[in-house]
Amino acid sequence: MNILMLSSTFPYPPTRGGTQVRTFNLLKYLSQRHSITLVTQRESDVTDAEVAELRDCVDHLAIFERPPDYATTGILKKIQRFSKFLQQGTPPSVLNRYSVEMQTWIDNWVEAGKCDVITCEHSVNEIYVRSHFSKQLKTIVNIHSSVYATCRNQLSTGISENSLRDKINLPLLRRYEQNYCAKFSAIVATTEEDKIQLQEFNPNSEITVIPNGVDLVSFPNRTTDPGGHRLIFIGAMDNLANIDAVCFFSNEVLPEIQKLYPDATFDIVGSHPVSEVLALAQKPGINVTGRVPSMVEYLHKSTICVVPMRTGFGIKNKTLEAMAAGVPIVASDRGLEGLAVDGASHPLRALRANKPTEYITAISQLFEHPHLRSELSHKGRQLVETEFTWDIAGKSYEQVCLKRD
């Protein structure tokens, strides 16, 4: 097949994390048997070497400059953007990445009949798919997480950056998600929870759940348990959900852990730490690294990986990567979404915690019992190997692409 993949986020290298990991690995799998044309945008920090390396992975690469970020402009522009959202139904976060040049290129490519399938990698790219495209070819939107469900969750957990704005936006996001999903022949979600949410909006849509995966070569299983009292969190540190997670853990959980284990440390490992995260390094035992050459090296040195997410939907790469590396997990319901890790019908593969007291109990259990760490390490790695590799995800994605409407 000739597949046109749309990703306004430059999906290389996958070590950048975020949406890049899923997009790149699905692209890599599909490119083994199909002709891939990738349309993307170049950020200011993308190097010529990275462009060349990505070009080697696809048959055709079309790169556009990212439009100037108008999210930082004054109050008048913000009012104009909101009015547009109200009238046209497209959120500012989507319009922010919209390129007229990129749209023209896509229109011409589709009209010339150069592709059999078009995939939007992340819902933000839905804007480039015209309603009539689905009459000519298969159109797929790969929704990394529901924007409506995410906004609703941020409001309910009280971590919204601007609750008044989000309360106004919530019904608009519901309408937006419902409308754009209707344009596509097929919808892909990362978890059953997101599928249920999207099915409610679009009862007649074909929705397939394809979880994220892990590159098992990049995240090898650790050979030894380092012991000690070293905690770690991994993830992009300019992401709202990650910022909330590390601030919550550093302020409400870690001090109590350190009363029990005075030498306990907490490594916050990930790119682009914002000032709020950098400030945490002033607290005893906290190390904020910024971007590191090898995430897995930090994981292998850690006693436990914590994933104290209070918002953010979809399967978390950070949880899967830590499991693949053989690091025992203590995580929230959000951090474990889409993963069968406990309960009567599943072996214990991670410890669940949502309240500070639950984190303290779970972490203490693991600090005190090496055999429990060993069990979670083994079972977590086993789960990833059997259910969450990119080959498994890629095969499922290929089936969605091949399926005739």
Side-chain angles (χ1 to χ4, degrees), residues 36-249:
I36 305 295
T37 297
L38 175 68
V39 186
T40 189
Q41 292 176 6
R42 183 172 182 169
E43 308 277 352
S44 57
D45 62 346
V46 172
T47 66
D48 290 342
E50 287 167 347
V51 171
E53 285 160 16
L54 181 59
R55 200 180 296 280
D56 286 343
C57 300
V58 295
D59 292 84
H60 189 77
L61 181 63
I63 301 184
F64 296 84
E65 291 300 318
R66 183 174 175 184
D69 188 353
Y70 61 65
T72 55
T73 51
I75 188 73
L76 184 61
K77 289 286 184 187
K78 286 183 180 179
I79 292 167
Q80 288 172 346
R81 287 200 302 276
F82 179 72
S83 301
K84 214 168 183 179
F85 187 13
L86 213 52
Q87 292 159 15
Q88 298 178 7
T90 306
S93 58
V94 176
L95 293 170
N96 191 25
R97 299 201 75 114
Y98 184 68
S99 158
V100 175
E101 293 79 12
M102 188 162 148
Q103 181 74 70
T104 303
W105 193 99
I106 292 164
D107 289 347
N108 292 339
W109 193 263
V110 172
E111 295 308 322
K114 292 186 177 181
C115 53
D116 310 304
V117 179
I118 185 168
T119 74
C120 289
E121 303 305 321
H122 197 290
S123 56
V124 75
N125 298 286
E126 65 74 22
I127 193 169
Y128 294 106
V129 174
R130 309 282 193 186
S131 297
H132 67 269
F133 282 4
S134 60
K135 295 188 179 83
Q136 298 169 243
L137 73 166
K138 179 105 181 188
T139 55
I140 301 166
V141 60
N142 184 359
I143 300 173
H144 292 204
S145 62
S146 161
V147 288
Y148 168 74
T150 300
C151 181
R152 188 181 60 186
N153 178 251
Q154 287 175 356
L155 282 168
S156 67
T157 53
I159 75 147
S160 170
E161 285 181 311
N162 185 330
S163 58
L164 177 61
R165 177 199 66 194
D166 287 348
K167 279 174 186 170
I168 296 167
N169 282 352
L170 194 62
L172 299 176
L173 287 171
R174 183 189 174 99
R175 182 185 68 177
Y176 164 69
E177 201 150 70
Q178 193 166 12
N179 288 347
Y180 86 68
C181 281
K183 293 192 297 185
F184 290 90
S185 323
I187 297 167
V188 171
T190 63
T191 66
E192 283 294 337
E193 196 167 327
D194 263 357
K195 178 181 177 176
I196 291 163
Q197 175 68 75
L198 295 163
Q199 202 95 62
E200 186 190 316
F201 296 161
N202 306 274
N204 302 318
S205 295
E206 176 201 322
I207 304 176
T208 306
V209 175
I210 302 177
N212 285 343
V214 180
D215 179 345
L216 296 178
V217 175
S218 300
F219 288 88
N221 196 2
R222 71 181 180 192
T223 51
T224 56
D225 177 352
H229 304 125
R230 190 166 177 177
L231 303 164
I232 189 171
F233 176 91
I234 61 171
M237 290 320 308
D238 56 354
N239 172 283
L240 177 63
N242 290 345
I243 295 165
D244 174 73
V246 296
C247 289
F248 158 71
F249 189 82

